[in-house]
Amino acid sequence: MRNAPHILLNTPDIEIWPGGLLRARSSDDARVLARASHVLRRKRDGRYLAAQLRGGLMPLVNRLADEPGIDFALTALDALRTQPSRIPPPGGSLPLLQLHLHLQQLDLDADAYAAQTGLPLVAEPAHLHLAGFDRYRRPLWLTTAAARGWQRMQQAAAIDGVALDAISGYRSHDYQLGIFERKLARGLSVDEILTVNAAPGYSEHHGGDALDISTPGEPPAEESFEHTAGFAWLQQHAARFGFHMSYPRDNPHGIVYEPWHWCYRRAEASL
């Protein structure tokens, strides 16, 4: 696959990252990650599971063979390295079985939630493209089309003297579940969390087409973004690049006003 080093391959339990992008958490990590062509990362908690080195696969956890989804991930890694034609084409997505298990963990009725909010279930892409880096120098993962749209839009804004920052892009179902688990541990109820966070599986970020945008000096994900030159530029030009603000004031989904949240729609991109 063209640009294969910049592809994140997604499996239900494990992400396969290209080498050189993950932050080392210890000196031992640093030595291994510096030599890795790819790293297997557990989606549930971000734990590094194994690194693909020139001499072979190096486990980074005990009993790697017992990790859920490891066989699937290793098959995908082998395809990524040796048979790129076997990589799912753009637009491919993962099955939703894992997601339904997450919703059961939260005792959340998916049908009732969907009916109440009008939000559809969003599957995770089978792979994502590196769209650059966000404000915090973290890799920004989007679908291939959304990544190209974002890069073109950011460049066009810069030409007009407007700086746009990405705050975040793709988020997995597991990441969203982690938000709920942490808030539940602090004593909040699921209903309380749902007033500010979409249920796992219902965030546009899961599909890799949505990103949160800000501008230098502006705090992330704050309503005050609507008063910036960046927001004014997006209102006037974003649609040309396929991006639309998903949650305006009084939106039918009951989601708070989010002037920072923009989603790419392939059919509406003109550039």
Side-chain angles (χ1 to χ4, degrees):
M1 170 178 285
R2 186 179 301 174
N3 294 332
H6 304 298
I7 295 295
L8 183 149
L9 198 59
N10 206 8
T11 74
D13 297 289
I14 296 169
E15 296 169 343
I16 302 171
W17 282 62
L21 294 178
L22 286 166
R23 295 176 178 174
R25 296 165 181 165
S26 68
S27 57
D28 288 340
D29 274 354
R31 285 190 288 269
V32 173
L33 296 183
R35 297 182 289 126
S37 64
H38 296 89
V39 179
L40 275 63
R41 180 178 181 264
R42 187 192 290 150
K43 292 170 75 169
R44 187 177 73 250
D45 57 8
R47 179 74 182 271
Y48 303 157
L49 300 176
Q52 180 66 51
L53 307 179
R54 182 173 298 179
L57 189 72
M58 178 178 177
L60 300 175
V61 295
N62 295 326
R63 302 179 66 85
L64 177 64
D66 293 338
E67 284 289 329
I70 190 63
D71 291 338
F72 190 107
L74 291 177
T75 299
L77 174 62
D78 183 62
L80 180 65
R81 294 174 53 244
T82 64
Q83 302 177 61
S85 62
R86 290 174 55 192
I87 299 172
S93 58
L94 301 182
L96 291 169
L97 174 61
Q98 198 90 328
L99 171 60
H100 289 302
L101 296 175
H102 290 339
L103 296 175
Q104 289 174 17
Q105 284 180 254
L106 297 173
D107 196 24
L108 200 155
D109 185 324
D111 292 336
Y113 180 77
Q116 176 188 350
T117 63
L119 295 171
L121 277 173
V122 181
E124 297 179 13
H127 72 260
L128 294 130
H129 188 89
L130 183 65
F133 296 85
D134 67 17
R135 172 183 288 184
Y136 310 104
R137 299 306 300 162
R138 300 173 302 194
L140 178 70
W141 297 108
L142 297 170
T143 62
T144 302
R148 291 172 180 162
W150 161 245
Q151 289 167 340
R152 291 169 178 165
M153 184 168 73
Q154 189 180 37
Q155 291 165 4
I159 290 171
D160 289 343
V162 175
L164 298 178
D165 286 339
I167 301 300
S168 65
Y170 165 73
R171 300 175 197 158
S172 70
H173 297 156
D174 283 274
Y175 182 97
Q176 197 80 354
L177 178 64
I179 293 174
F180 275 72
E181 290 175 335
R182 288 189 291 275
K183 291 188 175 183
L184 287 169
R186 297 204 304 265
L188 295 176
S189 69
V190 169
D191 286 342
E192 288 172 323
I193 300 169
L194 288 173
T195 62
V196 291
N197 296 109
Y202 293 88
S203 169
E204 287 184 330
H205 285 283
H206 298 323
D209 285 329
L211 73 163
D212 295 337
I213 301 174
S214 190
T215 195
E218 178 67 19
E222 292 287 346
E223 192 173 309
S224 57
F225 177 59
E226 72 173 349
H227 302 297
T228 67
F231 181 71
W233 190 95
L234 287 168
Q235 284 189 303
Q236 185 175 356
H237 300 287
R240 279 198 297 131
F241 301 90
F243 284 92
H244 299 263
M245 185 173 58
S246 299
Y247 307 119
R249 295 185 192 280
D250 302 317
N251 65 81
H253 307 297
I255 293 177
V256 297
Y257 174 46
E258 294 189 355
W260 61 85
H261 179 102
W262 296 74
C263 193
Y264 181 82
R265 300 173 188 167
R266 291 166 182 78
E268 299 182 25
S270 60
L271 289 179

